Amino acid sequence: MAEALLALAGVNTHIGQYHILQGVDFEVPRAGLTMLLGRNGAGKTTTLRTVMGLWQASAGAIRYDGAEITRRTTPERARLGIAYVPENMGIFAGLTVRENLLLAARSGPPDDRRLEWIFRLFPAMQRFWHAHAGNLSGGQKQMLAIARAIVEPRRLLLVDEPTKGLAPSIIANMIDAFRELKRTETTLLVVEQNFHFARSVGDTVAVMDCGRIVHAGRMADLAADDALQQQLLGLSLQAHQ
Amino acid sequence: MSHGSALPAQRFDWLPLALIPAIALAALPFIPSLPTWVTLTVAGLAMGMMIFMMAAGLTLVFGLMDIMNFAHGVFISVGAYAATSVLLAMKASMQADSLAANLAAIVPAVLAAMALAGFLGWFFERVVIRPVYGDHLKQILVTMGGLIVVEQLIHVVWGPDIIPLPRPATITGSFIVGGAAIERYRVLAVLVGLAVFAAMWLILNRTRLGLLIRAGVENREMVESLGYRIRTLFVGVFIAGSALAGLGGVMWALYQESVNAQIGMQMMVVLFIVLIIGGLGSVGGCFVGALLVGLMANYTGYLAPKLALGSNILLMVLVLLWRPRGLFPVGRG
Ligand SMILES: Nc1ncnc2c1ncn2[C@@H]1O[C@H](COP(=O)(O)OP(=O)(O)OP(=O)(O)O)[C@@H](O)[C@H]1O
Ligand SMILES: [Mg+2]
């Protein structure tokens, strides 16, 4: 197998005096979608933020595309091709949909083909092109946050709980959108609580607990193993199915 | 993948703007004559414009980096003094009754003021502000300290006494409109203020740089995650805001026809009131807030001089009762 696009080795992260990540080891293979699962408070968000450089790792190494990025700043990591959709979506409410996307396009306005592709994924973006992002519904904000991350082709997309708070019909649309994303060159690392979503789009999976990776493997294997799911994830995820 | 047919059309929030005529009209019955009211209103608007120039940088600095810069007043003072030095050195051209000659003194004076204030801003950001990012208590202490140090330095360079600063000939005096005396200088202040506001509005709303600043005020982390260095942006805004405060300082010194080392410190209370009224981080709010404060100060200054500052604090309280986060709250994502 080719070298992984992203590899964390013994990553520790402290937030203030709290020791949150306590030696995280896992790899995200090139192309495809890796799910990062785990109970509430396991450290999933902290892991994504550490990869993005929004928290500094206090020990360990983060390798991306063959180079160590552990000490790089957040903007540097972004310019290496990592895009981030945070748990709270981080859209700019006072800016229009158009302005949100323009800002994310670092090398000039996106061309028509790219925009058409984005509009096909998320038609609401076209309809509300000139609307202020703060007026969008929760689901539309999530779509904008993802659209913003992919307005230009990126190597690695980090998405934190894309289905959080979404109605089931919208989740079905989101699954379609992620399947379409998987057809591109982009590698995805997605944090999720919704197991149905996870099994629908995940290729590989890593499960966290208490700031460590406690399981890594193929998504299909975990999806087929009820006992393992129960042991790793408890009942909370099953309730979402 | 969308639901609902359309969003409510995005409307500009005009209500706070209506406060400006509302406050002017509310004052009308209390002022004995219409010409006096006109004079006071023009004076209030002129004062508001100058306050806006001084406050605009402060609100962006706070919005972008959550920095409480209590030393912002030093940029006002330094700007005023730098311009004073230039203007006093060019006395002859100031006294000449020719616009060209006056401008030959004023333009370099304004440039010197903005350059020195901007340079001081750059230095201040590096030396005083940078070590205390993210810690409000330290910011207050350290910037207060910086304020005192610079004030003392002004004493050293320009002396402790008030320096009289006569206005250039062509913008002295007033003209009469419908029985109301209107000072020329106040009209000039309104025009300069409008020009500064228009320029800021265009930059913020029509350029990529402005887009970045507006986004940064909302959510710094996200701007960084999109690949932009917020620090660079912030330093630029800090320098521009300081230079603008310097310009406001020149305008204010010429308005008062004198400078003293406390000029900046005296303004700080008013600036914070304006920022809170307008909504921290909002340039539009800062503009409306400054005009409201300017009008209020002039009306009450005429009716009950002792209550001038108190009336603005009352105004702030009333605004906060109506909109607890100011007239134009800035969303924090
Ligand atoms: N800013 C912070 N300050 C202190 N502790 C924090 C902070 N952010 C997160 N934590 C703690 O770190 C641990 C991991 O949090 P994290 O947000 O990474 O979990 P998560 O797996 O994303 O959880 P969830 O599924 O609820 O989103 C939690 O115990 C949390 O309380
Ligand atoms: Mg989380």
Side-chain angles (χ1 to χ4, degrees):
Chain A
M1 199 174 89
E3 195 204 6
L5 180 62
L6 179 74
L8 279 71
V11 169
N12 282 255
T13 299
H14 287 78
I15 304 177
Q17 77 243 40
Y18 302 104
H19 190 179
I20 311 289
L21 300 189
Q22 311 190 353
V24 171
D25 299 282
F26 77 105
E27 296 195 341
V28 176
R30 277 169 208 273
L33 190 153
T34 298
M35 298 296 316
L36 184 58
L37 305 179
R39 295 182 174 91
N40 289 115
K44 306 180 295 295
T45 297
T46 307
T47 302
L48 292 194
R49 286 178 61 87
T50 306
V51 171
M52 201 63 221
L54 295 168
W55 298 130
Q56 275 296 328
S58 45
I62 305 171
R63 289 182 69 78
Y64 166 76
D65 199 19
E68 182 161 347
I69 58 164
T70 322
R71 299 279 155 240
R72 296 285 187 119
T73 65
T74 298
E76 282 170 345
R77 296 180 203 208
R79 284 172 186 274
L80 288 171
I82 307 180
Y84 177 48
V85 180
E87 198 169 354
N88 63 12
M89 301 174 285
I91 60 153
F92 303 115
L95 273 51
T96 63
V97 167
R98 175 181 160 272
E99 288 173 327
N100 268 275
L101 293 179
L102 279 185
L103 198 61
R106 289 191 292 268
S107 49
D111 62 35
D112 288 348
R113 278 188 51 209
R114 189 80 186 172
L115 275 184
E116 273 162 27
W117 179 68
I118 287 174
F119 291 157
R120 259 205 318 282
L121 278 178
F122 305 119
M125 296 305 102
Q126 183 166 26
R127 177 127 49 103
F128 300 126
W129 190 234
H130 289 292
H132 278 229
N135 291 355
L136 297 174
S137 73
Q140 290 162 349
K141 283 180 183 157
Q142 189 63 259
M143 295 167 203
L144 173 58
I146 297 170
R148 190 176 56 183
I150 56 170
V151 68
E152 288 173 338
R154 303 280 181 238
R155 310 281 311 277
L156 175 64
L157 188 54
L158 312 172
V159 190
D160 201 343
E161 298 203 36
T163 69
K164 194 176 174 186
L166 300 189
S169 65
I170 308 292
I171 293 181
N173 288 328
M174 207 49 105
I175 290 174
D176 292 341
F178 274 82
R179 285 188 172 143
E180 171 68 24
L181 283 178
K182 283 173 61 176
R183 284 195 269 276
T184 67
E185 301 281 281
T186 307
T187 300
L188 292 111
L189 172 59
V190 181
V191 166
E192 197 41 87
Q193 296 271 11
N194 182 315
F195 197 73
H196 169 63
F197 178 87
R199 74 190 302 168
S200 304
V201 299
D203 299 316
T204 51
V205 61
V207 182
M208 289 192 83
D209 199 22
C210 299
R212 286 195 184 83
I213 300 291
V214 293
H215 171 84
R218 285 174 0 111
M219 187 70 221
D221 295 343
L222 180 62
D225 189 339
D226 283 347
L228 189 58
Q229 284 170 42
Q230 183 72 19
Q231 177 207 329
L232 293 172
L233 304 165
L235 283 173
S236 61
L237 286 171
Q238 307 292 317
H240 281 276
Q241 280 193 48
Chain B
M1 180 176 274
S2 51
H3 35 102
S5 54
L7 284 173
Q10 178 63 29
R11 289 262 205 87
F12 181 76
D13 183 8
W14 291 102
L15 228 47
L17 279 182
L19 282 180
I20 296 169
I23 210 171
L25 290 177
L28 191 50
F30 298 98
I31 313 281
S33 79
L34 189 64
T36 310
W37 178 81
V38 172
T39 303
L40 287 174
T41 303
V42 173
L45 292 176
M47 184 174 171
M49 294 292 181
M50 290 185 269
I51 294 174
F52 166 69
M53 287 180 241
M54 299 184 221
L58 192 58
T59 204
L60 277 181
V61 160
F62 182 86
L64 212 48
M65 293 303 265
D66 255 325
I67 301 282
M68 306 269 243
N69 181 14
F70 280 75
H72 188 72
V74 304
F75 308 129
I76 299 172
S77 308
V78 163
Y81 272 96
T84 302
S85 292
V86 174
L87 292 176
L88 292 182
M90 304 183 75
K91 242 193 184 111
S93 112
M94 285 287 280
Q95 283 160 352
D97 196 7
S98 125
L99 187 61
N102 290 171
L103 282 177
I106 290 175
V107 170
V110 165
L111 291 180
M114 293 181 76
L116 191 63
F119 173 78
L120 184 66
W122 170 81
F123 181 78
F124 216 85
E125 198 279 335
R126 279 201 96 93
V127 175
V128 180
I129 308 272
R130 196 166 289 189
V132 293
Y133 274 133
D135 185 335
H136 279 161
L137 184 63
K138 277 191 194 158
Q139 281 161 20
I140 294 171
L141 295 175
V142 164
T143 55
M144 287 276 207
L147 178 80
I148 294 167
V149 169
V150 176
E151 238 173 51
Q152 294 307 310
L153 284 175
I154 288 176
H155 280 301
V156 173
V157 177
W158 282 285
D161 302 323
I162 295 183
I163 305 177
L165 179 66
R167 280 180 216 157
T170 46
I171 46 171
T172 310
S174 45
F175 53 93
I176 311 283
V177 178
I182 294 176
E183 274 190 45
R184 285 181 186 175
Y185 186 72
R186 288 174 176 163
V187 176
L188 177 73
V190 170
L191 293 178
V192 174
L194 282 177
V196 168
F197 179 65
M200 283 187 79
W201 191 90
L202 283 176
I203 290 172
L204 284 173
N205 290 288
R206 291 280 180 271
T207 69
R208 192 171 175 80
L209 176 68
L211 202 56
L212 265 172
I213 294 172
R214 284 189 292 144
V217 168
E218 273 197 50
N219 190 337
R220 308 191 264 289
E221 274 192 349
M222 202 59 226
V223 169
E224 295 234 292
S225 300
L226 291 177
Y228 303 99
R229 291 184 53 197
I230 201 99
R231 168 80 33 103
T232 316
L233 191 65
F234 175 67
V235 172
V237 167
F238 200 93
I239 293 172
S242 308
L244 214 49
L247 172 64
V250 184
M251 300 288 298
W252 190 249
L254 282 169
Y255 183 60
Q256 295 196 313
E257 300 193 271
S258 69
V259 276
N260 63 70
Q262 281 81 44
I263 183 170
M265 175 103 99
Q266 285 158 354
M267 291 310 295
M268 284 309 285
V269 177
V270 174
L271 297 193
F272 277 115
I273 291 176
V274 165
L275 258 53
I276 292 167
I277 288 180
L280 286 161
S282 161
V283 171
C286 176
F287 185 70
V288 175
L291 291 183
L292 290 177
V293 163
L295 287 171
M296 193 73 161
N298 276 275
Y299 295 135
T300 46
Y302 176 79
L303 293 169
K306 290 214 172 89
L307 296 181
L309 181 61
S311 70
N312 274 320
I313 293 174
L314 180 68
L315 181 69
M316 175 176 80
V317 171
L318 292 177
V319 165
L320 291 185
L321 285 176
W322 178 41
R323 294 197 171 175
R325 294 173 60 218
L327 295 177
F328 294 101
V330 174
R332 268 283 156 80

